[in-house]
Every structure is written in structure tokens, then in C-alpha cells.
Amino acid sequence: MTNYLDYQFEDSETFINTFDEAPLWSASFGLLLLKHLELKPNQFVVDIGSGAGFPLLELAGRMGSSCKLFGIDTWNNANQRAKQKIKDYNYSNIEIIECSAHKMPFENNSIDLIISNLGINNFDTPSDVFMECNRVLKPKGKLALTTNINGHWKEFYQVFYASLIQIGKSNLIEKLEHEEAHRGNIQSVSELFIQSGFRISKTIEDSFVMKFVDGTAFLNHHFVKLGWLSSWTNLFSKEDLQDIFTVLQNNLNIYSQENDGLNLTVPMLFIEGEKQ
Ligand SMILES: C[S@@+](CC[C@H](N)C(=O)[O-])C[C@H]1O[C@@H](n2cnc3c(N)ncnc32)[C@H](O)[C@@H]1O
């Protein structure tokens, strides 16, 4: 019943050929980004954490040939896929550069706009990346990003806390609270901007609901296994995992019966800063 606990992610060329975050998760954040970005001609643009090419290729198509876009990512297989898409779409205004956003191969004051869709939660030291963005942006250049913030899947976490209490493991609640809170909020993300020499020019908070039939579907969903499962299983000892997830899954299923399914809220933040 809990065989998703055996899931092991393996990166490969084959994996990346079928991997599209865009249809479900990244798409919602990417649409928020595309909605609130100001698009101008003759811009040098960088997408940090461009992954398999979303929303980089969409933005390149919308900005057109007077603009030059660069996709920066450390993930080789994703970069290969992005390059294949660029070739297939016959776009000549994009270049993929395999490097870390901590050290980008651009001159000081050379870029007009930097974007990142769901990048900052993945960077080891986001504050260093923000400083690097400040270095490469022109004065008044913009850094615009989307990120998921606290409140993420709060309905799931509430059932998770109740399940830990039910099996007498309330001592583990603190660990789960820490995991839930690490995403930050509008204040903590704004701080990163301000400390790196940006003036906040726009913030938009929005949310969407991800619906699942029940907890069993949720815990077995490929993207949940890929993106989140290990951040929960790593909190607990191996001996406790079966008990915790059996009760959690059961409680999520009861919750779903009582609430017309498992409808999970995903808060989103669009935030844009201007280099001072
Ligand atoms: C959640 S994914 C987002 C991908 C894509 N922007 C999207 O919206 O689907 C985060 C990306 O950040 C990349 N990443 C992580 N650390 C990085 C770093 N230091 N420099 C550049 N990219 C990084 C990962 O390889 C991954 O592709």
C-alpha cells in the first residue's frame, strides 16, 4: 500500500525525455510570471534555473528576435533537452549555458532582465545568487521571480500533524514544522532582494488549488514522489516510516471522503526588484 516509499529518483536522458514540469506545477507559476512581466524589445534576458526550457522558450517566443535570452542551469540532461527544443522550434535568440547562477559568465552591468521560475528554493545559497544577479544587471535592471511560499499544501500538513499526534509521535511535529516553514514568505524573500541592493518594484500573491481524488493518489503521484516525498521521509527514522505513512495515507483518504477530495492550496509569489 505504501510502495511509493521505495521510490528512488534516477536522472537519465530517458527520464528527461518524458519529464515536463510545465503541464502541472511550473505552469501555474510560469503563467503568473508571464502575466506580470513587462516585456520590452531589445533586451538581454537571463532565466536562472531554466531546467528543460520552461518558461525560457515561451518567453523567447513572446519577446521575439530583437531580444537575446540566456538559460542558465547546472543540470546537464535538462540543458540538452532545452537545446533540442530550441532547435525544434527554430529559435535563434536563445543560448543555454551550463553553469551555476552563483557565477554567471556575463560582464558587470550587461543584462536588462533576470527571471527565475521556481529557482530560489533550489539554490544552495540564494543570497549569493541575488548578489550575482545584482552584479550582472544594468542599473535599473529587473530581477523577477516566482516562488512557492509558506502555506503550501496546508491541508496536507494539517492531516500530517494530526497523524503524528494520533500515533504518539508528537515529538516529530517540530521537524515537520521546520520542513513546512523553510519556504519563506513575502517578507523573507523581500529581504533577500533588499540586502542585495534591489528596490522592490512589484509583489503579487496568488494561489491555485491542486485536486486529488484522495491521499493514495496524492502520495503515488509521480511529481509528489519526485519533488517532495524525500523531504518528508528524511525527517523520520526508517523504522517509523511504515507506521507514519500508513496512518497519514489513511487519514488523508478519510479527509478526502469528507471534503470532496483532497484539494490542496498552493500559494504563489511573484516578486520583482529593480537594481538600485
Ligand atoms: C524547480 S526547477 C525549475 C525549472 C524551470 N524553471 C521550471 O519552471 O520548470 C529548479 C531548477 O534550478 C536548477 N538549479 C539548481 N541550482 C542551480 C544553480 N546553482 N544554478 C543554476 N540552476 C540551478 C535546477 O537544476 C532546476 O532545473
Side-chain angles (χ1 to χ4, degrees):
M1 192 185 166
T2 54
N3 54 359
Y4 50 83
L5 289 174
D6 301 328
Y7 174 80
Q8 295 268 322
F9 170 63
E10 274 182 50
D11 184 21
S12 70
E13 275 178 47
T14 338
F15 167 79
I16 198 68
N17 283 338
T18 56
F19 176 63
D20 276 307
E21 286 174 313
L24 54 89
W25 179 257
S26 300
S28 302
F29 289 86
L31 287 174
L32 184 72
L33 186 78
L34 291 164
K35 183 173 175 186
H36 296 290
L37 269 183
E38 195 186 349
L39 303 188
K40 296 181 193 162
N42 306 311
Q43 303 278 292
F44 284 105
V45 182
V46 179
D47 178 1
I48 54 178
S50 49
F54 180 80
L56 176 65
L57 273 95
E58 182 59 26
L59 194 58
R62 294 188 189 198
M63 295 189 83
S65 58
S66 74
C67 297
K68 171 85 197 223
L69 292 88
F70 301 90
I72 298 276
D73 207 294
T74 45
W75 184 6
N76 178 265
N77 282 328
N79 288 336
Q80 296 310 322
R81 180 138 191 251
K83 284 182 187 173
Q84 185 60 47
K85 286 184 187 170
I86 294 167
K87 205 169 149 205
D88 293 346
Y89 295 12
N90 198 20
Y91 281 171
S92 54
N93 58 345
I94 317 179
E95 196 178 317
I96 300 294
I97 303 173
E98 190 158 309
C99 72
S100 171
H102 290 85
K103 195 166 177 7
M104 296 189 269
F106 306 118
E107 301 286 325
N108 294 351
N109 307 317
S110 59
I111 301 294
D112 298 285
L113 171 66
I114 299 179
I115 64 150
S116 191
N117 194 46
L118 294 169
I120 57 164
N121 282 343
N122 292 271
F123 304 146
D124 289 339
T125 47
S127 54
D128 292 343
V129 173
F130 275 62
M131 292 303 287
E132 178 66 353
C133 290
N134 188 290
R135 180 187 71 75
V136 304
L137 278 170
K138 295 176 183 172
K140 298 211 174 295
K142 298 267 176 70
L143 169 60
L145 52 89
T146 56
T147 186
N148 58 331
I149 47 176
N150 282 347
H152 157 101
W153 288 353
K154 61 177 193 269
E155 301 83 358
F156 163 77
Y157 281 93
Q158 275 157 17
V159 176
F160 210 155
Y161 294 125
S163 303
L164 290 175
I165 293 167
Q166 184 184 331
I167 58 170
K169 300 270 178 201
S170 353
N171 57 318
L172 300 175
I173 285 179
E174 203 179 321
K175 280 186 170 180
L176 187 61
E177 280 174 342
H178 189 258
E179 189 281 326
E180 187 189 5
H182 89 273
R183 285 177 185 84
N185 54 34
I186 188 164
Q187 285 78 22
S188 61
V189 182
S190 299
E191 276 299 301
L192 277 171
F193 274 87
I194 292 160
Q195 284 164 4
S196 323
F198 290 91
R199 174 185 75 81
I200 305 292
S201 43
K202 209 186 270 183
T203 55
I204 311 277
E205 287 186 88
D206 204 340
S207 68
F208 67 100
V209 173
M210 263 182 112
K211 294 184 178 185
F212 298 84
V213 160
D214 57 21
T216 304
F218 172 74
L219 290 165
N220 282 286
H221 189 289
H222 86 103
F223 198 58
V224 174
K225 288 193 289 187
L226 173 71
W228 285 276
L229 188 61
S230 66
S231 64
W232 305 318
T233 55
N234 288 342
L235 300 174
F236 311 119
S237 71
K238 279 214 161 52
E239 302 80 68
D240 284 340
L241 278 183
Q242 273 301 336
D243 285 351
I244 292 174
F245 277 83
T246 302
V247 172
L248 171 64
Q249 184 171 329
N250 194 34
N251 285 342
L252 286 170
N253 289 345
I254 294 168
Y255 174 95
S256 307
Q257 275 173 4
E258 291 170 352
N259 293 277
D260 281 335
L262 186 60
N263 302 323
L264 303 180
T265 309
V266 184
M268 304 185 285
L269 172 66
F270 169 93
I271 180 161
E272 182 191 82
E274 183 181 82
K275 177 173 169 176
Q276 295 286 70

Short mmCIF file of all heavy atoms in Angstrom, two decimals, residues 16 19-22 25-27 29-30 33 47-56 71-76 78-79 97-104 115-125 129 146 148 223, ligand 1:
data_model
loop_
_atom_site.label_atom_id
_atom_site.label_comp_id
_atom_site.label_asym_id
_atom_site.label_seq_id
_atom_site.Cartn_x
_atom_site.Cartn_y
_atom_site.Cartn_z
N ILE A 16 14.55 12.50 -18.76
CA ILE A 16 14.30 13.91 -19.13
C ILE A 16 13.43 14.00 -20.39
O ILE A 16 12.71 14.97 -20.59
CB ILE A 16 15.62 14.71 -19.27
CG1 ILE A 16 15.37 16.22 -19.22
CG2 ILE A 16 16.40 14.35 -20.51
CD1 ILE A 16 14.92 16.73 -17.89
N PHE A 19 9.98 14.11 -19.06
CA PHE A 19 9.75 14.92 -17.87
C PHE A 19 9.33 16.34 -18.25
O PHE A 19 10.10 17.09 -18.82
CB PHE A 19 11.03 14.97 -17.04
CG PHE A 19 10.93 15.86 -15.83
CD1 PHE A 19 10.04 15.56 -14.83
CD2 PHE A 19 11.73 16.98 -15.71
CE1 PHE A 19 9.94 16.38 -13.71
CE2 PHE A 19 11.63 17.79 -14.59
CZ PHE A 19 10.74 17.49 -13.60
N ASP A 20 8.11 16.69 -17.93
CA ASP A 20 7.64 18.05 -18.13
C ASP A 20 6.98 18.52 -16.86
O ASP A 20 5.91 18.06 -16.50
CB ASP A 20 6.61 18.11 -19.26
CG ASP A 20 7.29 18.21 -20.60
OD1 ASP A 20 8.12 19.10 -20.76
OD2 ASP A 20 6.98 17.40 -21.49
N GLU A 21 7.67 19.45 -16.19
CA GLU A 21 7.01 20.05 -15.03
C GLU A 21 5.90 20.96 -15.52
O GLU A 21 4.90 21.16 -14.85
CB GLU A 21 7.99 20.90 -14.23
CG GLU A 21 8.96 20.06 -13.43
CD GLU A 21 10.00 20.94 -12.78
OE1 GLU A 21 10.57 21.81 -13.44
OE2 GLU A 21 10.24 20.76 -11.59
N ALA A 22 6.12 21.50 -16.70
CA ALA A 22 5.24 22.55 -17.20
C ALA A 22 3.75 22.21 -17.15
O ALA A 22 2.95 23.06 -16.78
CB ALA A 22 5.66 22.93 -18.60
N TRP A 25 2.83 21.80 -12.49
CA TRP A 25 3.31 22.58 -11.35
C TRP A 25 3.92 23.90 -11.83
O TRP A 25 3.43 24.98 -11.53
CB TRP A 25 4.31 21.73 -10.58
CG TRP A 25 4.90 22.40 -9.40
CD1 TRP A 25 6.16 22.95 -9.31
CD2 TRP A 25 4.29 22.62 -8.14
NE1 TRP A 25 6.34 23.49 -8.07
CE2 TRP A 25 5.22 23.30 -7.33
CE3 TRP A 25 3.04 22.30 -7.60
CZ2 TRP A 25 4.94 23.67 -6.02
CZ3 TRP A 25 2.76 22.67 -6.31
CH2 TRP A 25 3.70 23.34 -5.53
N SER A 26 4.99 23.79 -12.61
CA SER A 26 5.68 25.00 -13.06
C SER A 26 4.77 25.89 -13.88
O SER A 26 4.94 27.11 -13.89
CB SER A 26 6.86 24.65 -13.96
OG SER A 26 7.78 23.87 -13.30
N ALA A 27 3.83 25.27 -14.58
CA ALA A 27 2.98 26.06 -15.47
C ALA A 27 2.23 27.14 -14.72
O ALA A 27 2.15 28.28 -15.19
CB ALA A 27 1.98 25.14 -16.19
N PHE A 29 3.02 28.66 -11.93
CA PHE A 29 3.95 29.72 -11.53
C PHE A 29 4.44 30.49 -12.76
O PHE A 29 4.57 31.72 -12.74
CB PHE A 29 5.15 29.12 -10.78
CG PHE A 29 4.79 28.59 -9.41
CD1 PHE A 29 4.31 27.31 -9.25
CD2 PHE A 29 4.92 29.39 -8.29
CE1 PHE A 29 3.97 26.82 -7.99
CE2 PHE A 29 4.59 28.92 -7.03
CZ PHE A 29 4.11 27.63 -6.88
N GLY A 30 4.70 29.74 -13.84
CA GLY A 30 5.18 30.38 -15.07
C GLY A 30 4.14 31.34 -15.65
O GLY A 30 4.48 32.41 -16.15
N LEU A 33 4.26 34.49 -13.74
CA LEU A 33 5.45 35.26 -14.15
C LEU A 33 5.18 35.97 -15.47
O LEU A 33 5.41 37.18 -15.62
CB LEU A 33 6.63 34.30 -14.28
CG LEU A 33 7.99 34.89 -14.55
CD1 LEU A 33 8.59 35.48 -13.28
CD2 LEU A 33 8.94 33.82 -15.07
N ASP A 47 17.37 33.58 -17.80
CA ASP A 47 16.48 32.75 -16.98
C ASP A 47 17.38 31.87 -16.12
O ASP A 47 18.11 31.02 -16.66
CB ASP A 47 15.57 31.90 -17.89
CG ASP A 47 14.65 30.97 -17.09
OD1 ASP A 47 14.69 30.99 -15.85
OD2 ASP A 47 13.89 30.22 -17.74
N ILE A 48 17.36 32.05 -14.81
CA ILE A 48 18.23 31.21 -13.97
C ILE A 48 17.44 30.01 -13.42
O ILE A 48 16.34 30.16 -12.93
CB ILE A 48 18.97 32.02 -12.88
CG1 ILE A 48 18.04 32.85 -12.01
CG2 ILE A 48 20.03 32.90 -13.46
CD1 ILE A 48 18.76 33.60 -10.90
N GLY A 49 18.05 28.84 -13.59
CA GLY A 49 17.35 27.59 -13.28
C GLY A 49 16.35 27.31 -14.38
O GLY A 49 15.18 27.03 -14.13
N SER A 50 16.83 27.37 -15.62
CA SER A 50 15.91 27.26 -16.78
C SER A 50 15.48 25.83 -17.06
O SER A 50 14.57 25.60 -17.87
CB SER A 50 16.57 27.88 -18.02
OG SER A 50 17.87 27.39 -18.20
N GLY A 51 16.10 24.85 -16.40
CA GLY A 51 15.65 23.46 -16.49
C GLY A 51 15.50 22.99 -17.93
O GLY A 51 16.36 23.20 -18.78
N ALA A 52 14.37 22.35 -18.20
CA ALA A 52 14.13 21.80 -19.54
C ALA A 52 13.62 22.87 -20.51
O ALA A 52 13.19 22.55 -21.62
CB ALA A 52 13.15 20.64 -19.44
N GLY A 53 13.66 24.14 -20.10
CA GLY A 53 13.35 25.22 -21.04
C GLY A 53 12.05 25.96 -20.80
O GLY A 53 11.59 26.71 -21.66
N PHE A 54 11.48 25.77 -19.61
CA PHE A 54 10.26 26.50 -19.28
C PHE A 54 10.54 27.44 -18.12
O PHE A 54 11.12 27.01 -17.13
CB PHE A 54 9.13 25.53 -18.89
CG PHE A 54 7.85 26.24 -18.54
CD1 PHE A 54 7.02 26.71 -19.54
CD2 PHE A 54 7.52 26.50 -17.21
CE1 PHE A 54 5.84 27.40 -19.22
CE2 PHE A 54 6.36 27.19 -16.89
CZ PHE A 54 5.52 27.64 -17.90
N PRO A 55 10.12 28.72 -18.21
CA PRO A 55 9.39 29.36 -19.30
C PRO A 55 10.28 30.03 -20.33
O PRO A 55 9.82 30.87 -21.10
CB PRO A 55 8.53 30.40 -18.56
CG PRO A 55 9.37 30.79 -17.39
CD PRO A 55 10.18 29.58 -17.00
N LEU A 56 11.58 29.66 -20.33
CA LEU A 56 12.54 30.32 -21.21
C LEU A 56 12.08 30.36 -22.67
O LEU A 56 12.10 31.41 -23.32
CB LEU A 56 13.88 29.58 -21.10
CG LEU A 56 15.00 30.03 -22.01
CD1 LEU A 56 15.44 31.45 -21.70
CD2 LEU A 56 16.20 29.08 -21.90
N GLY A 71 19.65 30.85 -21.01
CA GLY A 71 19.15 29.93 -19.97
C GLY A 71 20.35 29.39 -19.22
O GLY A 71 21.30 28.88 -19.82
N ILE A 72 20.29 29.52 -17.88
CA ILE A 72 21.41 29.08 -17.02
C ILE A 72 20.91 27.92 -16.17
O ILE A 72 19.91 28.06 -15.44
CB ILE A 72 21.81 30.23 -16.06
CG1 ILE A 72 22.28 31.46 -16.82
CG2 ILE A 72 22.79 29.77 -15.00
CD1 ILE A 72 23.71 31.44 -17.21
N ASP A 73 21.59 26.80 -16.23
CA ASP A 73 21.23 25.71 -15.33
C ASP A 73 22.44 24.79 -15.18
O ASP A 73 23.26 24.68 -16.09
CB ASP A 73 20.01 24.92 -15.85
CG ASP A 73 19.23 24.25 -14.72
OD1 ASP A 73 19.79 23.32 -14.08
OD2 ASP A 73 18.08 24.65 -14.47
N THR A 74 22.51 24.12 -14.03
CA THR A 74 23.62 23.20 -13.77
C THR A 74 23.29 21.77 -14.21
O THR A 74 24.14 20.91 -14.20
CB THR A 74 23.89 23.16 -12.24
OG1 THR A 74 22.62 23.06 -11.57
CG2 THR A 74 24.60 24.39 -11.76
N TRP A 75 22.05 21.53 -14.61
CA TRP A 75 21.54 20.17 -14.87
C TRP A 75 21.75 19.82 -16.35
O TRP A 75 21.02 20.29 -17.21
CB TRP A 75 20.07 20.15 -14.48
CG TRP A 75 19.37 18.84 -14.57
CD1 TRP A 75 19.88 17.62 -14.86
CD2 TRP A 75 17.96 18.63 -14.37
NE1 TRP A 75 18.90 16.66 -14.83
CE2 TRP A 75 17.72 17.26 -14.53
CE3 TRP A 75 16.89 19.48 -14.06
CZ2 TRP A 75 16.44 16.73 -14.41
CZ3 TRP A 75 15.62 18.94 -13.94
CH2 TRP A 75 15.41 17.57 -14.10
N ASN A 76 22.72 18.95 -16.57
CA ASN A 76 23.11 18.66 -17.95
C ASN A 76 21.98 18.09 -18.79
O ASN A 76 21.71 18.57 -19.91
CB ASN A 76 24.32 17.71 -17.96
CG ASN A 76 24.73 17.35 -19.38
OD1 ASN A 76 24.31 16.33 -19.92
ND2 ASN A 76 25.49 18.23 -20.00
N ALA A 78 18.79 18.26 -18.50
CA ALA A 78 17.73 19.26 -18.76
C ALA A 78 18.22 20.25 -19.81
O ALA A 78 17.46 20.65 -20.71
CB ALA A 78 17.36 19.97 -17.47
N ASN A 79 19.48 20.64 -19.70
CA ASN A 79 20.03 21.58 -20.69
C ASN A 79 20.01 20.98 -22.11
O ASN A 79 19.71 21.67 -23.08
CB ASN A 79 21.47 21.96 -20.33
CG ASN A 79 21.52 22.87 -19.11
OD1 ASN A 79 20.55 23.57 -18.81
ND2 ASN A 79 22.63 22.87 -18.40
N ILE A 97 23.45 28.01 -21.24
CA ILE A 97 24.80 27.98 -20.67
C ILE A 97 24.76 27.11 -19.42
O ILE A 97 23.97 27.36 -18.50
CB ILE A 97 25.28 29.40 -20.30
CG1 ILE A 97 25.23 30.31 -21.54
CG2 ILE A 97 26.70 29.36 -19.74
CD1 ILE A 97 25.52 31.77 -21.25
N GLU A 98 25.60 26.08 -19.44
CA GLU A 98 25.60 25.18 -18.28
C GLU A 98 26.54 25.71 -17.22
O GLU A 98 27.77 25.61 -17.35
CB GLU A 98 26.03 23.77 -18.72
CG GLU A 98 25.81 22.77 -17.61
CD GLU A 98 25.70 21.36 -18.15
OE1 GLU A 98 24.91 21.13 -19.08
OE2 GLU A 98 26.43 20.51 -17.65
N CYS A 99 25.99 26.34 -16.23
CA CYS A 99 26.81 26.86 -15.13
C CYS A 99 25.89 27.15 -13.96
O CYS A 99 24.67 27.07 -14.08
CB CYS A 99 27.56 28.12 -15.56
SG CYS A 99 26.54 29.56 -15.76
N SER A 100 26.51 27.50 -12.84
CA SER A 100 25.71 27.85 -11.67
C SER A 100 25.36 29.34 -11.70
O SER A 100 26.18 30.16 -12.12
CB SER A 100 26.48 27.54 -10.39
OG SER A 100 25.77 28.06 -9.30
N ALA A 101 24.17 29.64 -11.21
CA ALA A 101 23.75 31.04 -11.12
C ALA A 101 24.60 31.80 -10.12
O ALA A 101 24.54 33.03 -10.06
CB ALA A 101 22.28 31.11 -10.72
N HIS A 102 25.42 31.09 -9.35
CA HIS A 102 26.32 31.76 -8.40
C HIS A 102 27.44 32.49 -9.12
O HIS A 102 28.05 33.40 -8.55
CB HIS A 102 26.95 30.74 -7.44
CG HIS A 102 25.98 30.16 -6.49
ND1 HIS A 102 25.18 29.08 -6.80
CD2 HIS A 102 25.64 30.52 -5.23
CE1 HIS A 102 24.42 28.80 -5.76
NE2 HIS A 102 24.66 29.66 -4.80
N LYS A 103 27.75 32.04 -10.36
CA LYS A 103 28.86 32.69 -11.08
C LYS A 103 28.51 32.64 -12.56
O LYS A 103 28.75 31.65 -13.23
CB LYS A 103 30.16 31.92 -10.79
CG LYS A 103 31.40 32.68 -11.19
CD LYS A 103 32.64 32.04 -10.56
CE LYS A 103 33.95 32.68 -10.93
NZ LYS A 103 33.97 33.88 -11.70
N MET A 104 27.92 33.71 -13.05
CA MET A 104 27.43 33.71 -14.44
C MET A 104 28.45 34.37 -15.35
O MET A 104 29.13 35.33 -14.96
CB MET A 104 26.09 34.45 -14.49
CG MET A 104 25.01 33.74 -13.71
SD MET A 104 23.37 34.44 -13.97
CE MET A 104 23.26 35.65 -12.66
N ILE A 115 15.06 36.51 -14.90
CA ILE A 115 13.85 35.86 -14.38
C ILE A 115 14.23 34.50 -13.77
O ILE A 115 15.28 33.93 -14.11
CB ILE A 115 12.77 35.64 -15.47
CG1 ILE A 115 13.27 34.66 -16.55
CG2 ILE A 115 12.32 36.94 -16.08
CD1 ILE A 115 12.17 33.86 -17.18
N SER A 116 13.37 34.00 -12.92
CA SER A 116 13.54 32.64 -12.44
C SER A 116 12.18 32.10 -12.00
O SER A 116 11.51 32.70 -11.16
CB SER A 116 14.53 32.60 -11.27
OG SER A 116 14.84 31.26 -11.00
N ASN A 117 11.78 31.01 -12.61
CA ASN A 117 10.52 30.37 -12.23
C ASN A 117 10.84 29.21 -11.29
O ASN A 117 11.41 28.21 -11.72
CB ASN A 117 9.79 29.85 -13.48
CG ASN A 117 8.34 29.49 -13.20
OD1 ASN A 117 7.62 30.25 -12.56
ND2 ASN A 117 7.90 28.34 -13.69
N LEU A 118 10.52 29.38 -10.02
CA LEU A 118 10.75 28.34 -9.01
C LEU A 118 12.22 28.01 -8.81
O LEU A 118 12.56 26.87 -8.48
CB LEU A 118 9.98 27.07 -9.41
CG LEU A 118 8.48 27.20 -9.40
CD1 LEU A 118 7.82 26.00 -10.06
CD2 LEU A 118 7.96 27.32 -7.96
N GLY A 119 13.08 28.99 -9.03
CA GLY A 119 14.51 28.74 -8.88
C GLY A 119 14.99 28.85 -7.44
O GLY A 119 15.69 27.97 -6.94
N ILE A 120 14.58 29.91 -6.73
CA ILE A 120 15.31 30.23 -5.49
C ILE A 120 15.24 29.15 -4.41
O ILE A 120 16.18 29.00 -3.66
CB ILE A 120 14.94 31.60 -4.86
CG1 ILE A 120 13.46 31.72 -4.55
CG2 ILE A 120 15.42 32.75 -5.69
CD1 ILE A 120 13.20 32.87 -3.59
N ASN A 121 14.15 28.38 -4.37
CA ASN A 121 14.10 27.31 -3.36
C ASN A 121 15.11 26.22 -3.66
O ASN A 121 15.37 25.35 -2.84
CB ASN A 121 12.70 26.68 -3.29
CG ASN A 121 11.73 27.56 -2.52
OD1 ASN A 121 12.16 28.44 -1.79
ND2 ASN A 121 10.45 27.35 -2.71
N ASN A 122 15.67 26.26 -4.88
CA ASN A 122 16.61 25.21 -5.28
C ASN A 122 18.07 25.65 -5.22
O ASN A 122 18.96 24.82 -5.35
CB ASN A 122 16.31 24.77 -6.71
CG ASN A 122 15.00 24.04 -6.81
OD1 ASN A 122 14.94 22.84 -6.65
ND2 ASN A 122 13.92 24.79 -7.01
N PHE A 123 18.32 26.93 -5.03
CA PHE A 123 19.71 27.39 -4.99
C PHE A 123 20.28 27.18 -3.59
O PHE A 123 19.61 27.47 -2.60
CB PHE A 123 19.83 28.87 -5.38
CG PHE A 123 19.24 29.20 -6.72
CD1 PHE A 123 18.62 30.42 -6.95
CD2 PHE A 123 19.31 28.29 -7.77
CE1 PHE A 123 18.07 30.72 -8.18
CE2 PHE A 123 18.75 28.58 -9.01
CZ PHE A 123 18.14 29.80 -9.21
N ASP A 124 21.55 26.72 -3.53
CA ASP A 124 22.16 26.42 -2.23
C ASP A 124 22.21 27.66 -1.33
O ASP A 124 21.81 27.61 -0.19
CB ASP A 124 23.59 25.88 -2.41
CG ASP A 124 23.55 24.49 -3.00
OD1 ASP A 124 22.50 23.84 -2.88
OD2 ASP A 124 24.57 24.08 -3.59
N THR A 125 22.74 28.74 -1.88
CA THR A 125 22.82 29.98 -1.09
C THR A 125 22.17 31.09 -1.91
O THR A 125 22.86 31.80 -2.65
CB THR A 125 24.28 30.34 -0.76
OG1 THR A 125 25.05 30.21 -1.96
CG2 THR A 125 24.87 29.44 0.31
N VAL A 129 23.34 34.18 -4.98
CA VAL A 129 22.79 34.27 -6.35
C VAL A 129 22.20 35.68 -6.58
O VAL A 129 22.39 36.28 -7.64
CB VAL A 129 21.73 33.17 -6.60
CG1 VAL A 129 21.03 33.37 -7.93
CG2 VAL A 129 22.37 31.79 -6.54
N THR A 146 9.29 33.90 -9.46
CA THR A 146 8.15 33.30 -8.76
C THR A 146 8.70 32.24 -7.81
O THR A 146 9.72 31.62 -8.08
CB THR A 146 7.19 32.59 -9.72
OG1 THR A 146 7.94 31.63 -10.46
CG2 THR A 146 6.49 33.55 -10.64
N ASN A 148 7.27 29.33 -4.47
CA ASN A 148 6.18 28.89 -3.59
C ASN A 148 6.54 29.23 -2.15
O ASN A 148 7.69 29.15 -1.75
CB ASN A 148 5.80 27.42 -3.78
CG ASN A 148 6.92 26.46 -3.57
OD1 ASN A 148 8.07 26.80 -3.78
ND2 ASN A 148 6.62 25.26 -3.15
N PHE A 223 4.92 13.27 -9.54
CA PHE A 223 5.61 14.53 -9.23
C PHE A 223 5.74 14.72 -7.71
O PHE A 223 6.70 15.32 -7.24
CB PHE A 223 4.83 15.68 -9.88
CG PHE A 223 5.65 16.93 -9.98
CD1 PHE A 223 6.85 16.94 -10.68
CD2 PHE A 223 5.22 18.10 -9.39
CE1 PHE A 223 7.61 18.09 -10.76
CE2 PHE A 223 5.97 19.26 -9.48
CZ PHE A 223 7.17 19.26 -10.17
C1 LIG B 1 12.19 23.68 -9.78
S1 LIG B 1 13.29 23.66 -11.12
C2 LIG B 1 12.57 24.90 -12.14
C3 LIG B 1 12.85 24.66 -13.59
C4 LIG B 1 12.12 25.57 -14.56
N1 LIG B 1 12.46 26.96 -14.36
C5 LIG B 1 10.61 25.39 -14.49
O1 LIG B 1 9.91 26.35 -14.17
O2 LIG B 1 10.12 24.29 -14.79
C6 LIG B 1 14.74 24.45 -10.48
C7 LIG B 1 15.91 24.44 -11.44
O3 LIG B 1 17.01 25.13 -10.81
C8 LIG B 1 18.19 24.48 -11.22
N2 LIG B 1 19.30 24.88 -10.32
C9 LIG B 1 19.53 24.45 -9.05
N3 LIG B 1 20.65 25.06 -8.56
C10 LIG B 1 21.11 25.87 -9.55
C11 LIG B 1 22.20 26.76 -9.64
N4 LIG B 1 23.05 26.93 -8.63
N5 LIG B 1 22.38 27.44 -10.79
C12 LIG B 1 21.51 27.28 -11.82
N6 LIG B 1 20.46 26.46 -11.79
C13 LIG B 1 20.26 25.75 -10.67
C14 LIG B 1 17.83 23.01 -11.20
O4 LIG B 1 18.74 22.23 -11.93
C15 LIG B 1 16.43 23.05 -11.80
O5 LIG B 1 16.46 22.92 -13.19
#
